[in-house]
Amino acid sequence: MPDFLLEIGCEEIPARMIDAASLELRERIQKLLERERLAAATVSAFDTPRRLAILVGGILPAQADVMEQVNGPSVAVAYKGDQPTPAAHAFAKKAGVDVSRLEKVTTPKGEYLSAKVTKKGRAASEILSELLPKEINSIYWPKNMYWREPSEKFVRPVRWLVAMLDREVVPLEFDGVRAGNQSRGHRLLSDVTVQIPAAGESYVSALRAAKVLGRAEREQQIRKGLDAATRTIPGARWREDKSLLDTVVNLTEWPSVILGGFDREFLELPEEVLVTVMRDHQKYFAVEDANGKLLPHFLAVLNTDGGPQGIIRHGHERVLRARFNDARFFWQTDQKHPLRDRTAWLKHVTFQKDLGSYYDKTLRVQRLASWLCEIVRHTGMAVRPGVVHKAAYLAKTDLTTELVKEFTELQGIVGGLYAGVQVLDEDMADGARQLIAQTIYDQYKPESMEDSVPRAVEGAVLSIADKADTIAGMFALGMQPTGSKDPFALRRQANGIVKTIAEHKLPVTLSELVTSALQSYANSEAEKKFKKPLEWWWDVLKLERASDRTWADSAKAAPGSESQMSPLTFLRERLQFFLRDALGYKYDLVNAVLGAGADDVVDALARAEAVKGVFEMPEFQAIAAACKRMRNILKQAAEKRFYVAGKFEYLAEAAEEEKMLAAYMERTNLRVEEHRRKKEYKDALLLLSTAREHVDRFFDKVMVMVEDEHLRANRLALLQTLLREFSTIADFSEIVTEGKA
Amino acid sequence: MLDSRQRPVTPTNSNSPSFQELILRLQTFWAERGCVLQQPYDVEVGAGTMAPETFLRVLGPQPYKVAYVQPSRRPADGRYGENPNRLYKHMQLQVILKPPPENVQELYLESLGAIGIDLRQHDIKFEEDNWEAPTLSAWGVGWQVMLDGLEVTQFTYFQQCGGIDLDPISAELTYGLERIAAFLQDVESIYDIAWARDPKTGKATTYGDVRLADEVQFSVYNFEVADVEKTWKHFELCEAECKALLDRYSALVKDKQTGDGVAKDRKRFPLLSAYDLCLKCSHLFNLLDARGAISVTERVGVIARVRALAVGIARAHVDQQGDGAAAFEEEDKPARKKKLEVVPTIS
């Protein structure tokens, strides 16, 4: 069976887009082959900045023929007596069979003529040239362009196409480019065109000869190059940086690595600044000694052979020196005005058009952070409110510094570094100053789910207050994220809040946090811009606080209904995401846990851990199944408007099993409650699990929905109580169980 | 003053082209490839893109190829001649290829060869860099071209200009001349670049000799001396005059629609003068901004005022060039892409 090759030759594709596009193209082609019954043994991708290629191994040369039953005119029309009418002849001709071979089939509409028709399978080449252009055109690009017709869009101009079945060119066309068997090699190191002899491995070897390597090989070559160059400095190692590595892998076709150096005196600048210049602006790897201390060297990844004469190294060193000089100049300039002078300057820096300046934000965050400190302190945790207060006051001042204007990604970090070397208050102890500096430094953490949370509780408090202020304000303006649009990165910030509360085990509930954050806008200019008055929000929050269950249901029912979402629901959804995606709990477990309460992050985590410990046990699988059954029965009862008694009564005519169950639960429940109060959730759950036997027996022997209204209402009351008691730690009816339900 | 400017210039690579040779070679290269060589535009602009040879020429269907040096003024970037890498006024060599030929990247790389860069000895990367100028309601996608880690050129495929989708599109190549010269001559400071070398003695006249005084004096003017009130007045006068012209053009077009036949008046209408006024507004805004005379709240509004002029002129220009259809009448045609609200500098 032949191999197939598709190569889209393109001007340099942005590094950040290559991996996703390559994966998408591979999946598209895989699906296309399945859909078109051309099933192939292997489908693999080969991509570089200048090409997306797909190699298909062992494709069917053509679709298999298929036999189809085709129905024609009704028998009444097709025959006059025994004689076929023209209608029958016409159908036979169209179906390609003799009239005598026509069959009769009975359908709900009556008797019809029918024929077996062989549908000839189409050639792979024909299918591919027809359908591939559409697939290429459908690749998603975060930003695309046109260069010929405004309707033709791709990430950058497509300059050549290779499409081959073994040695044959597949005639396809995309955006005015016809496919052939001519590829192109490395821009500078090879001839302009590269003849591809055939689809398959020879494509890869032809490109290798033209100094073009696939992704995995490039990565390996870069790693090897980094290692080799670093080995020339005794005791040194290069700083692992996955995203930088991915970037340089996708900026090169034939990578090599050079080692460069810079003047030792630049090491006086903070490492954060040096690394940012090297990594973000120059895409260099940093080099450190065995203790992790930065060395005056860098590693640059080239898209060419190593430049043995040192010309290239000299160039890179020159550029870096200029950049470092700039950074040093900014650092020195900034010291002329210490941070404490700059808070007032924030009046002239807009935070958000309707939410006011960064000065306004500073005052709000200061209040919110102080409130959080009180909550934290109330439960006996140690926190220094004075430190938080001062840090919040200075937190945004670095936005006015030259260094942050130049290196925006260093916001917060620069403030922390400056606070660490400046006088903040005349009589402040050094310890307090260092903690303030650290609190400012950590204020934007965590920047992703992988990033660490602020180191100290003071940093955690400031980080949460800052983020909650932004989220509350933006939601109140009606600017919540929708779909893939989240220009203010509110999701990331909400994830950060949840993660920080969880890791610092802070005793603050999400509803309190949202309420306080909204409250801090009261009587401000910003409040006048809110879509709904604060009173409206208080009503919404009251409803949401009262109904964790409803939240779980509505979040499930309408994942896209973000248009009216409240900041509380938003944070709860992030908690769900955190439990599921960051901590890896199964989704049904998460729904079960949050169904019993999604306000207290730390508590939800404890319950999730407890449930995880028990829910594989057969007892719990059984109880989960029973809970689901109870919920269904209660739902049916509600639909039929059946009366449910307020409380279970030990009626004379009640079955033995239901009395046993009720009595058992009454006895156990007090102890369960005791465990629950002490947050010994696992013990509580284990105790609940002992009810299994009684529950099973109840469902085996007792019918709930009986005719007798009195008996039925009493049984429903028992179920309602049971379900409530089982659901205090987790809503077990959410657990997906195997077997009978 | 930096020490580096006081010591005699001794470029390590004396074969490297002087600043003026660099310009000559690039101009020759592009002239040989069919470009019209224009001269720098004589109204202050923040970037070569703003010169009418780019802003207006990329509109409409007419193919065009042009190359020109454009001194670009950015008042806020001034450093009193004290920073070796930053200038109030820097030079760009701007090339517009409309429509871009299929081998436009290869042509560009060839041009580097023409100025003495042996590409096999260097590392070249095309790194994503998209361009957007909200004041011109213009954007494009492209790359910054990195030569041994130095950004030497902005390479952009224009997609929209003055809020109008372009058809055909243009490729814009913007060479950063000072950077390239410093790289070729291997000097640390822009001011040490040999601008010219005496053919007889070989003695260099440096960039500092030629330009240092402007850097110092304009930094003083832009940051310290410019009269804020008068500059505002100047801005408002230019804006009013520009608007008045646009209104008159509008009225003219309406006349045509009622059948009064003023096609000739339309063709000779001074839209180019209106554009000069718009450029002046843009520069005066930058000057006020550098002077610290524009508050954050005002900023967005003033930018929007300049953009309104630029977009108005772009529409009118398309109308004037064509048969008077399409762009001009569709006043509220939504832009293809939403623009950012705030932009730091008009450039």
Side-chain angles (χ1 to χ4, degrees), chain A residues 37-48:
Chain A
R37 298 177 288 114
L38 291 170
T42 59
V43 180
S44 58
F46 182 98
D47 46 79
T48 79

Side-chain angles (χ1 to χ4, degrees), chain B residues 10-127:
Chain B
T10 50
T12 53
N13 185 352
S14 54
N15 291 327
S16 61
S18 66
F19 192 65
Q20 65 192 29
E21 278 164 351
L22 169 65
I23 293 171
L24 289 170
R25 287 195 202 173
L26 281 172
Q27 286 183 331
T28 307
F29 177 88
W30 287 109
E32 283 169 357
R33 277 145 195 89
C35 283
V36 169
L37 287 187
Q38 254 288 14
Q39 300 307 309
Y41 201 58
D42 55 351
V43 174
E44 305 95 325
V45 293
T49 307
M50 300 179 77
E53 283 297 290
T54 296
F55 183 77
L56 296 176
R57 290 284 187 178
V58 298
L59 297 165
Q62 284 305 319
Y64 197 58
K65 283 193 258 185
V66 66
Y68 56 95
V69 174
Q70 185 61 54
S72 302
R73 304 190 188 213
R74 298 179 182 177
D77 287 357
R79 292 289 184 273
Y80 296 87
E82 288 166 9
N83 184 307
N85 309 307
R86 280 171 206 243
L87 296 167
Y88 146 67
K89 183 164 83 182
H90 70 286
M91 313 270 187
Q92 301 180 335
L93 188 123
Q94 172 94 349
V95 180
I96 292 291
L97 302 170
K98 177 191 180 188
E102 222 176 278
N103 60 343
V104 53
Q105 276 186 309
E106 286 73 23
L107 274 180
Y108 165 73
L109 292 174
E110 251 182 77
S111 77
L112 295 184
I115 54 175
I117 297 170
D118 176 1
L119 291 178
R120 293 209 171 219
Q121 305 273 336
H122 294 279
D123 176 37
I124 285 270
K125 295 196 191 87
F126 287 82
E127 298 185 4

Side-chain angles (χ1 to χ4, degrees), chain A residues 342-361:
Chain A
R342 292 175 185 257
T343 303
W345 300 10
L346 292 175
K347 288 176 187 164
H348 304 289
V349 185
T350 311
F351 162 54
Q352 200 277 340
K353 160 163 87 63
D354 292 329
L355 298 181
S357 68
Y358 269 103
Y359 184 76
D360 300 327
K361 184 178 179 58

Side-chain angles (χ1 to χ4, degrees), chain A residues 10-17 50 143-150 153 155-159 184 187-191 251-252 281-284 301-304 307 309 311-319 321-323 325-326 329-330 347-350 353 402 406, chain B residues 12 79 82-86 99-106 109 119-130 132 139-144 146-151 155 157-160 165-169 179 182-184 186-188 295-297 336-337 341:
Chain A
C10 196
E11 295 183 359
E12 276 76 354
I13 305 167
R16 66 187 167 107
M17 303 179 188
R50 294 179 75 205
K143 194 175 184 90
N144 57 21
M145 64 170 284
Y146 64 92
W147 60 99
R148 228 170 56 114
E149 298 293 326
K153 295 215 166 161
V155 63
R156 290 291 184 275
V158 172
R159 292 307 183 199
R184 297 191 198 171
R187 259 193 198 294
L188 307 175
L189 302 176
S190 82
D191 295 333
L251 277 174
T252 52
H281 295 253
Q282 294 301 129
K283 304 194 172 71
Y284 298 157
V301 177
L302 315 180
N303 183 28
T304 185
Q309 301 91 329
I311 297 176
I312 298 177
R313 192 196 68 225
H314 180 75
H316 281 282
E317 287 177 342
R318 233 183 120 258
V319 178
R321 191 159 51 239
R323 288 256 183 200
N325 268 323
D326 272 355
F329 173 78
F330 293 140
K347 288 176 187 164
H348 304 289
V349 185
T350 311
K353 160 163 87 63
E402 296 298 317
E406 186 73 6
Chain B
T12 53
R79 292 289 184 273
E82 288 166 9
N83 184 307
N85 309 307
R86 280 171 206 243
E102 222 176 278
N103 60 343
V104 53
Q105 276 186 309
E106 286 73 23
L109 292 174
L119 291 178
R120 293 209 171 219
Q121 305 273 336
H122 294 279
D123 176 37
I124 285 270
K125 295 196 191 87
F126 287 82
E127 298 185 4
E128 180 192 17
D129 195 16
N130 303 318
E132 184 169 35
W139 68 278
V141 306
W143 309 274
Q144 45 179 346
M146 307 297 284
L147 175 65
D148 298 347
L150 178 73
E151 183 193 345
F155 190 132
Y157 289 113
F158 269 36
Q159 301 281 292
Q160 200 182 61
D165 289 344
L166 301 180
D167 189 14
I169 66 158
R179 284 177 179 201
F183 172 86
L184 289 170
D186 195 25
V187 293
E188 292 285 314
S295 74
V296 179
T297 31
R336 182 192 295 268
K337 183 177 162 293
E341 281 294 313

Side-chain angles (χ1 to χ4, degrees), chain A residues 81-146:
Chain A
D82 282 350
Q83 288 305 305
T85 65
H89 284 291
F91 174 60
K93 194 176 167 201
K94 198 175 133 209
V97 295
D98 193 78
V99 178
S100 62
R101 303 200 49 148
L102 293 175
E103 302 160 22
K104 289 175 190 168
V105 290
T106 310
T107 76
K109 285 192 265 171
E111 229 185 347
Y112 281 83
L113 276 190
S114 179
K116 278 204 178 64
V117 179
T118 309
K119 207 173 143 200
K120 195 98 182 86
R122 296 170 71 202
S125 167
E126 189 188 326
I127 293 170
L128 291 169
S129 55
E130 179 191 320
L131 298 178
L132 277 178
K134 222 178 84 197
E135 299 296 334
I136 300 172
N137 196 40
S138 306
I139 297 174
Y140 167 78
W141 301 103
K143 194 175 184 90
N144 57 21
M145 64 170 284
Y146 64 92

